[in-house]
Every structure is written in structure tokens, then in C-alpha cells.
Amino acid sequence: MRVPNLISGRRARTGALVGLSVAALATGAAAGAGPAAAQPKAAPAAAAADCSAAYRIEQKLSTGTTWRMCWRFESKSGLILEKISYQPPGETKPIRVLNSAKIAQIHVPYDDGTNEYNDITDYNFGSGLVNMAPAECPGGTIRTVKVPDPFNGQNANVKGLCTTTRSRGHAYRMQSDSNKVFQAQGKDLLIYTVNKVGWYEYITEWRFSDDGMINMNVGATGSLSPFDYDAGDGRGWPIGKGAKSSATSHSHNVFWRLDFGLDGSSNTKVEQYDSVVSPPAGGQQGPTNKTTRTAVTKELAGDAANMRWWRVVSATGKNKDGHARSYEFVPGATTKYSGRPFTQHDIYFTQYNSCEQYASNNVRSCGGPLHGYSVDKWVNGQTLTHPVAWVNVGFHHIARDEDQEPMPVHWQGFSLAPRDVTAMNPLTPSALAGQNGEPNGGS
């Protein structure tokens, strides 16, 4: 449950938590404490910059890959990353991937039909940015964000943007014919914020890996709202002793908006791939699998299906093998919510329109009701010359005793995987550099 204008005991609790965070920062170590080598660093002053140093993130990971981007902050979506580029070892210049990326809606309908929220646009998600203590950004740097339209009584300057690095385990492992083992431990650049809406606290995480993978996740934590312990109609779960309190079940439908700019051009292409497995025929030893490519030339409301996937392809750039660079969508676990038209599809590709910024309750005036206020209305047959992707990942939250208190983080998200961005694994050791396309595949 949320309260209009955020005036309630629930909002008073928010203020108390913010105060605790400020106190923790005042008594703890300085923001950004940790090994200097692990801290994301600003680009050298002499480097060509797409934004000022204060709004630039540049990190060279220990495995040799560099990620660069700019950031800005708005009162609704919060953190927006722009001009995102990737430069793995062996590439002489950065490879642009995205023009911009942001959260475009968190839609929260309750199972009993009494409440339905658009946390991004109705509750100014970005304005709920909270301070983080140094312990929440291990080995990294906490940047101060000037929050537009802060909530009443809150300081506009919030220590709320963490940039740090983290190990993710094996990047690869291969034992060659000579029994030599090649292995590397992968490294990621992490960028995240914490935004408070009502009793929930959302961790918005962007993870940029040294192999070119991008992972986008939103984690919900904080508290279950005690105002919703009233699900007496079978649409909740008993919380606490006996069956006195029942937390109302609800959904979190998170949308991301991605504006691709592969190789510096917005003129990208979209392709859909489907595979069909057929039983053995004739003298075949096993079943066959045929994969077909469909060029997506018009706006699309896409539905995930078995062995179906999409990619965005560069119209201008190729890797050293002469193959067009692209990024593939890798879906995460999702629970599709069928209650609203805009939540009934997993992915949308629309023609770029600067007015179309939020997947539902789009607050910008794009021509009134005839244009529509949600992403499903924008799929109307336009030719895709500058496609924008909208990814919808749902989570049906049926509370449990373990959700109190505090509530463990439950994550939802997806990934973008590089497909032919480089000619080989960008982390390939020099001893295997000659194996590109060779049948022996070892040394």
C-alpha cells in the first residue's frame, strides 16, 4: 500500500530511515573507502569526454576491459546511464553499445484489486533516493547525487550512487590436449542506487562484465507494509503467529527502456530467431533442429516462446572476422501479468520518439489520448529505423514468514549478451589467439 502525496506514518518511517543513513555516514568511514586499485576511476582530463568528469564513469577492470559511460539523474526514473561503450583487450577504440538505459516503470498491482501503483511516474521513484553507508559500497566510491524534487524535508544532495567492482567467478576454463589448464576469474563493474517507495526499497543494479555482458536487475527489499495485513479473501499468505495477519499478494512488473547506438549509430536492426525440433526422419540418428531468422522491420510486441530470442544488430560496425556486431536479449525468470495490456508482452520494439519515456502512465504529452499513454499503444506499424527496446520482467510476490523483517532481496532482471562484437572471446589468453576458426581448438 502507498499513500497519495506520501503523507502518512509510512512516510514518517521513511524519513527516520534516511536519518539513520545520514548518521551512519557521519560516524563511519569516508565515502569511497576501500582499496584504491578497486575503485572506479575518472577518465584522464586529456581524454575526449562525452560529459564532464563529475558525470563520467570509466573503469578498467583487472582483466583489461574498460567500460565508459555518462550518468544523470531524474526525479522519476532515477539513474539514467548514457553513451555506454565497451573496450575489451585487443580493440583499439571503444565500441558504443547503448545511447541510454533506464528503468521505465515499476507497475505494482495488488491481487485483491484494491490498489495499483506506477512507482516510477506516480511516486517519483528517483526522488526517493537514499544515502548509502560505505559498507554498502565495498571497495568502491559513493557519489553525491543532486536529487531533483526531493521529498519534503529531505536534503537534495544524497550520497546515493555506488560504483565498485566485484569478482563473479570463472570467466572460462579449458583443459587443452596437452593437459594445460587455461582459466580466468571474471570481473564486473557494478553501478547501483537504492530508492525508497513506501515500505519498499528498490536496489537498481547495472552490472557490466569484462566479457561484454550487461546485466540489469532490480531487487526489492525493505519491509512488508503492515497496512496490507488484511488479505482475508484468500489472496494473501499468513504472516506471524497463527492466521491473524495475511499479507496481500501483489506483482512487481519492471520495465527497462534501452536505446541502442551500436558502433555509434542509432540506425540498428532487430532480428527474431525461432527454432523448431522435429522427430528423426528416414535414416537420421536423432531429431533435427531448424533455426530461422525473421527480420523485424516494423514495431513489435513480442512474446517469449521456447527457443525464441531477439538481437539488435549494428548497421555500420563489424568485428575483425567481418561479422556484424550485435547484442542478444537473454531473459531472466519472469511471471507475466495479464491484467493490463502493457504487461501482456515480454518485449516491445518501438520507433524512437523522445516523448515515449515510461512504459505506463507516460507523463509526457505526446499528442493526447489518441497517442496513448503506455508502450502497447505505441506499437502501431511504424518502420523501425531507430528501434527502442522495452523489456518487461514480472515477479508475483506471495509473501512468506521469511519476508519479515527486513525483507530479503528478491531480484528480477535480464541480460544483454554480446554476439559477434569481438572475433573471439575478448579474454582469450595470448597462447590461444591463433585458434580463431581453427578445427583443432587447443594447444
Side-chain angles (χ1 to χ4, degrees):
M1 175 183 177
R2 289 154 182 79
V3 179
N5 299 322
L6 301 171
I7 300 173
S8 68
R10 129 190 313 236
R11 197 60 210 168
R13 174 170 181 170
T14 298
L17 285 176
V18 171
L20 287 172
S21 297
V22 173
L25 285 167
T27 58
Q39 296 182 13
K41 58 185 180 180
D50 289 330
C51 49
S52 65
Y55 295 95
R56 187 184 315 136
I57 297 172
E58 178 172 336
Q59 176 64 50
K60 184 172 184 179
L61 298 165
S62 60
T63 46
T65 292
T66 300
W67 283 96
R68 297 177 178 87
M69 65 200 72
C70 300
W71 68 273
R72 62 183 178 90
F73 202 87
E74 68 165 31
S75 61
K76 296 194 181 298
S77 286
L79 181 65
I80 301 174
L81 299 177
E82 299 180 318
K83 302 172 183 177
I84 300 169
S85 68
Y86 157 61
Q87 187 174 4
E91 294 292 334
T92 58
K93 61 181 181 180
I95 300 166
R96 177 68 62 85
V97 180
L98 290 160
N99 294 325
S100 67
K102 70 174 185 177
I103 299 292
Q105 193 56 271
I106 301 176
H107 171 247
V108 187
Y110 276 66
D111 284 17
D112 60 6
T114 58
N115 294 297
E116 183 177 14
Y117 308 109
N118 294 293
D119 280 352
I120 299 296
T121 50
D122 292 347
Y123 289 88
N124 276 18
F125 174 85
S127 296
L129 185 72
V130 300
N131 287 289
M132 282 190 277
E136 296 184 74
C137 186
T141 299
I142 300 176
R143 300 184 183 219
T144 298
V145 178
K146 187 174 180 60
V147 177
D149 304 319
F151 293 135
N152 293 335
Q154 288 185 284
N155 193 327
N157 296 313
V158 178
K159 295 181 181 298
L161 173 59
C162 172
T163 55
T164 190
T165 59
R166 190 173 296 174
S167 298
R168 70 170 186 280
H170 276 87
Y172 61 79
R173 187 188 190 280
M174 188 191 83
Q175 184 170 335
S176 69
D177 292 341
S178 62
N179 290 325
K180 182 177 181 179
V181 174
F182 295 92
Q183 72 86 28
Q185 299 296 300
K187 298 288 184 181
D188 293 344
L189 163 65
L190 266 73
I191 303 170
Y192 52 92
T193 60
V194 180
N195 295 71
K196 189 166 181 60
V197 182
W199 290 85
Y200 271 99
E201 298 183 27
Y202 292 106
I203 304 171
T204 304
E205 177 189 273
W206 305 84
R207 187 184 293 258
F208 300 91
S209 298
D210 50 11
D211 60 1
M213 183 79 76
I214 305 174
N215 294 281
M216 285 148 261
N217 295 289
V218 167
T221 181
S223 302
L224 291 172
S225 168
F227 296 105
D228 294 322
Y229 289 174
D230 56 359
D233 57 359
R235 293 185 175 88
W237 196 269
I239 297 294
K241 295 184 181 299
K244 179 180 179 181
S245 299
S246 294
T248 306
S249 301
H250 53 278
S251 294
H252 297 260
N253 304 309
V254 180
F255 288 82
W256 286 260
R257 180 184 184 274
L258 305 174
D259 179 3
F260 282 84
L262 284 168
D263 292 295
S265 173
S266 300
N267 184 25
T268 54
K269 298 179 292 183
V270 178
E271 296 176 348
Q272 176 177 310
Y273 289 80
D274 291 276
S275 298
V276 176
V277 177
S278 301
Q284 292 173 336
Q285 188 172 0
T288 59
N289 190 344
K290 181 175 177 57
T291 300
T292 58
R293 177 183 68 88
T294 302
V296 180
T297 59
K298 303 286 186 180
E299 293 176 316
L300 172 73
D303 295 302
N306 186 42
M307 303 184 80
R308 170 179 292 169
W309 52 279
W310 295 270
R311 70 167 181 161
V312 174
V313 188
S314 173
T316 59
K318 296 181 178 181
N319 66 18
K320 294 176 182 178
D321 283 345
H323 302 147
R325 292 191 175 108
S326 71
Y327 262 84
E328 173 185 344
F329 292 85
V330 181
T334 186
T335 305
K336 191 184 297 186
Y337 178 79
S338 61
R340 292 295 183 187
F342 59 86
T343 61
Q344 291 176 8
H345 301 284
D346 299 295
I347 193 167
Y348 298 84
F349 293 101
T350 62
Q351 175 66 6
Y352 176 83
N353 183 328
S354 61
C355 195
E356 298 169 355
Q357 292 292 324
Y358 308 101
S360 65
N361 191 33
N362 188 54
V363 293
R364 297 196 175 187
S365 177
C366 301
L370 292 178
H371 186 86
Y373 297 103
S374 56
V375 65
D376 57 298
K377 303 298 184 183
W378 305 332
V379 179
N380 55 16
Q382 290 187 77
T383 299
L384 290 175
T385 59
H386 178 172
V388 172
W390 307 75
V391 181
N392 170 29
V393 180
F395 175 78
H396 188 211
H397 188 188
I398 300 176
R400 53 186 180 147
D401 276 339
E402 289 86 350
D403 282 343
Q404 53 177 11
E405 174 155 327
M407 181 167 54
V409 184
H410 51 83
W411 293 98
Q412 57 198 102
F414 70 103
S415 302
L416 293 175
R419 176 170 285 275
D420 305 339
V421 173
T422 53
M424 296 182 69
N425 182 340
L427 306 180
T428 295
S430 57
L432 299 177
Q435 298 299 317
N436 185 20
E438 296 297 325
N440 293 331
S443 68

